[in-house]
Amino acid sequence: MITRTSEISQSLSPEPDVEKLPLNLSEPHTSLPHTLSSTGHSGVTHQGKLGARPKRRHFFSALDPNYAEAVNLDAENVVYTFEEDTRIKRKIDNRVLPLIICSFQHLEDRTNIGNAHIIPAFNKNFGITDNNKWTLALSIFYVGYCLLEIPANVLQRHIGANRFFFLSLTFWGLSSLSIVYAKGYAALLVLRQVLLGIGEAGFYAGVIYYLSFWYKRHELAMRISLCMTATYSGAIGGLLAFGLVRAETPLLDGWQFLYLVEAIPTIIMAFVTLFFLPAFPFSASFFTPREKAIAQARVNRDHRPQSHGGMTGWQGLKAVVIDPNAWMFMSIYASFNIGVATISYFLPTLINDLGFTAINAQGLTVAPYVLGWGMVVLQAWHSDKTRERGWHIIFSCVISFVGYIILATSARKSVGASYFALFLVVGGLYSLFPLVMSWAANTLSPTSKRGVGTAFIVSISNTVSIASPQIYFDPEDDYVKGHAISASCLFLSMLMAFALRTRLSWLNNRNAQRLSGMSEDEKALLPVVNEMDDQDPRYVFMT
């Protein structure tokens, strides 16, 4: 979001966004003039009028909005150097990003059911006697997940990311721990729906929403790729399964060790997040007051996110529902997520069906996930570097599409070709997560619309995921029909990405023509806003 017409070109510049002020103070320099503090450009004026860090009355109370307002006011006039901009970004990378990345190890708790399924003792304990029971157990997870996605995102904005993520991680850890001692098919369904599905609601969209408070638009995809990809947790889960399923004691079987070992770090990480992850940049204890102002100024001069005030959650939802862009993002996400919602659970089974033993199949899941992680990071890095999203998404769709075609045509002909195809499928599918969601976060504005919009995309898309595991209904035919359906969905995702990119380019051209047709007096009458709506003609979309 750009708050002035003259700032449009500035927002697309790779240099740090240093405020344009009189006396040539906007140029990067190694030291700030002594007079800055007296002119209000030091970034501490308004924060100095408040007390220490904000306090809360109870767990679910919001932070004092006066602190957010003070930091934003200081950010309006703060002057900072290129070196300070780089140092602040590095500090965020070192203090915030690792905590979010570690939080995503919880994905093992969701997907380790795929590793456990190929162990006969697990299926016997929970009464999974056929493919229908297995796919229903996978589908039930998405019910609670979809119902609570948007409310969870509203809750996060109210109480802050650290407390919201604490609740989510605690639910996941307890779910995984409970499965260790549960018995029967009904218990499995309840634990996956009630604890795991409800606990994960809002987490994906919440991470994207949270990171948008810390990073500029062109810095987002790379960070999301480091956080929000299941490839590294899939690789870790495969390695753990390869080793732990061999363990056996009079009290626990190997599959129970798998859930136990993955539950404990999740619960520990919940408390680490609660105590060490800042709720918002303005409440970060590792920043000095001046650093808070600079951190806020970095994003304000790029897209100006608001932690408090602005649209309500209901207003944000109404803005999303009537926006064609949101529905196109949802179509892209829903289409490729059909493949993600199946491959994450069926990968060990597919490798097992190639003729490998159950234990070796778990070990062989590691390589596709490792190579897939490399593609995720490479795609996101290049997308941020070129500040382009659409063509990168289309490329990832093509890669995964080719992989599914190979699987559908070579399942009975070549073990090597089928295993190679899994590399393409995993790399292509998981690289789409950061690209699509960062594109949505770059497009939807203002902040409340962005938060509700990302939750809307994930929530509505995952209603499709309820049925996704059911496409693998033909185990006797090597899941050929399931692979073909997944390939078709990726083709649809590719077409929608192309259509959305074309639409956003057209909107940019239309807005530019409208602005160029205005006189200087007409431009001067355009409202000065705290946060620009994506319907404003001054708004520039990333394509």
Side-chain angles (χ1 to χ4, degrees):
M1 288 164 286
I2 299 91
T3 60
R4 302 285 194 282
T5 304
S6 61
E7 291 171 8
I8 291 177
S9 60
Q10 180 188 357
S11 70
L12 300 177
S13 170
E15 284 78 30
D17 298 318
V18 183
E19 185 74 36
K20 299 298 182 182
L21 292 169
L23 305 177
N24 200 31
L25 295 180
S26 62
E27 298 303 318
H29 41 269
T30 56
S31 62
L32 293 173
H34 178 71
T35 58
L36 285 183
S37 59
S38 62
T39 58
H41 301 317
S42 62
V44 299
T45 304
H46 295 88
Q47 295 175 73
K49 299 175 183 178
L50 298 174
R53 58 184 301 182
K55 303 293 183 182
R56 306 202 203 190
R57 295 188 302 274
H58 54 80
F59 186 89
F60 289 100
S61 64
L63 285 166
D64 187 345
N66 291 324
Y67 289 88
E69 181 66 18
V71 172
N72 273 284
L73 289 172
D74 284 335
E76 288 293 326
N77 297 315
V78 68
V79 177
Y80 55 98
T81 65
F82 180 92
E83 290 76 14
E84 284 182 301
D85 181 282
T86 303
R87 186 173 71 249
I88 293 298
K89 182 170 65 174
R90 187 179 300 119
K91 203 167 188 178
I92 297 170
D93 285 341
N94 292 337
R95 299 295 295 271
V96 175
L97 207 58
L99 292 175
I100 299 296
I101 292 173
C102 290
S103 296
F104 264 89
Q105 61 87 27
H106 82 274
L107 287 170
E108 301 162 18
D109 297 346
R110 192 224 280 194
T111 59
N112 58 16
I113 191 173
N115 288 310
H117 174 57
I118 61 176
I119 302 172
F122 173 84
N123 297 322
K124 181 179 179 181
N125 183 77
F126 289 109
I128 303 177
T129 55
D130 55 44
N131 191 65
N132 291 333
K133 283 192 170 184
W134 162 237
T135 54
L136 177 60
L138 299 180
S139 297
I140 201 71
F141 160 80
Y142 293 100
V143 176
Y145 184 98
C146 295
L147 291 175
L148 294 179
E149 183 78 25
I150 293 177
N153 192 266
V154 174
L155 175 65
Q156 178 187 335
R157 192 183 189 209
H158 179 72
I159 66 174
N162 58 334
R163 298 188 178 199
F164 176 75
F165 294 158
F166 166 76
L167 293 174
S168 294
L169 291 169
T170 301
F171 268 93
W172 296 323
L174 291 176
S175 172
S176 191
L177 197 60
S178 300
I179 288 177
V180 173
Y181 300 103
K183 263 188 175 298
Y185 188 64
L188 179 64
L189 296 183
V190 170
L191 288 173
R192 279 189 64 78
Q193 179 183 2
V194 176
L195 283 179
L196 191 59
I198 292 176
E200 190 162 334
F203 189 84
Y204 284 96
V207 166
I208 297 162
Y209 178 62
Y210 179 66
L211 292 178
S212 71
F213 284 98
W214 296 90
Y215 293 105
K216 301 176 189 178
R217 292 189 295 175
H218 68 273
E219 297 169 346
L220 204 53
M222 180 63 180
R223 272 74 183 185
I224 293 175
S225 75
L226 295 174
C227 300
M228 193 181 162
T229 176
T231 48
Y232 78 88
S233 59
I236 294 172
L239 284 173
L240 287 174
F242 183 69
L244 290 175
V245 295
R246 305 166 189 265
E248 190 168 344
T249 69
L251 296 176
L252 297 175
D253 288 331
W255 69 267
Q256 291 173 306
F257 277 109
L258 178 62
Y259 276 94
L260 182 64
V261 168
E262 293 178 355
I264 294 173
T266 303
I267 295 174
I268 293 173
M269 194 63 212
F271 285 93
V272 171
T273 301
L274 177 64
F275 293 117
F276 295 102
L277 185 73
F280 295 102
F282 72 82
S283 64
S285 60
F286 56 82
F287 278 156
T288 65
R290 174 173 170 78
E291 288 175 333
K292 290 179 184 179
I294 296 173
Q296 192 67 50
R298 292 182 71 251
V299 292
N300 278 5
R301 295 162 195 181
D302 181 67
H303 62 273
R304 193 177 288 272
Q306 287 184 314
S307 57
H308 296 77
M311 282 184 177
T312 64
W314 179 245
Q315 291 171 330
L317 177 60
K318 288 193 291 185
V320 167
V321 170
I322 63 174
D323 189 349
N325 295 336
W327 288 98
M328 295 179 79
F329 277 118
M330 185 275 294
S331 300
I332 296 170
Y333 191 103
S335 300
F336 84 79
N337 198 47
I338 289 174
V340 175
T342 51
I343 198 68
S344 57
Y345 299 123
F346 278 87
L347 185 59
T349 300
L350 294 175
I351 296 176
N352 186 211
D353 289 348
L354 291 177
F356 298 99
T357 65
I359 291 178
N360 287 337
Q362 289 163 340
L364 288 169
T365 62
V366 176
Y369 278 127
V370 170
L371 192 67
W373 183 84
M375 181 173 176
V376 169
V377 174
L378 180 62
Q379 273 279 77
W381 170 80
H382 192 263
S383 177
D384 275 350
K385 181 179 175 62
T386 58
R387 306 193 185 194
E388 196 282 331
R389 301 284 190 249
W391 292 121
H392 287 80
I393 290 171
I394 292 170
F395 177 75
S396 290
C397 286
V398 169
I399 293 294
S400 197
F401 175 80
V402 170
Y404 274 118
I405 294 298
I406 296 174
L407 284 175
T409 56
S410 303
R412 296 181 177 179
K413 298 177 183 178
S414 172
V415 172
S418 296
Y419 188 57
F420 168 74
L422 293 174
F423 285 78
L424 300 180
V425 168
V426 171
L429 284 176
Y430 286 106
S431 63
L432 286 166
F433 271 120
L435 293 174
V436 173
M437 296 311 293
S438 64
W439 197 16
N442 294 156
T443 301
L444 302 175
S445 177
T447 303
S448 182
K449 182 180 178 181
R450 181 185 307 116
V452 175
T454 51
F456 171 84
I457 292 166
V458 174
S459 177
I460 302 300
S461 298
N462 276 311
T463 58
V464 179
S465 298
I466 295 174
S468 294
Q470 310 304 320
I471 70 172
Y472 278 82
F473 57 86
D474 55 336
E476 69 287 343
D477 196 31
D478 296 317
Y479 303 109
V480 170
K481 296 182 181 68
H483 297 322
I485 293 171
S486 296
S488 301
C489 292
L490 275 164
F491 187 73
L492 175 61
S493 188
M494 190 191 322
L495 292 179
M496 290 304 299
F498 178 77
L500 180 58
R501 188 186 189 282
T502 302
R503 170 179 164 78
L504 295 181
S505 296
W506 173 78
L507 289 174
N508 282 339
N509 291 333
R510 186 196 66 178
N511 289 344
Q513 289 174 5
R514 288 175 61 184
L515 287 173
S516 63
M518 290 183 179
S519 66
E520 291 302 318
D521 291 338
E522 289 175 323
K523 290 179 182 178
L525 293 176
L526 290 172
V528 177
V529 293
N530 289 330
E531 188 177 21
M532 187 168 291
D533 192 289
D534 54 28
Q535 304 301 311
D536 193 295
R538 293 166 291 181
Y539 192 85
V540 178
F541 295 98
M542 183 178 286
T543 60

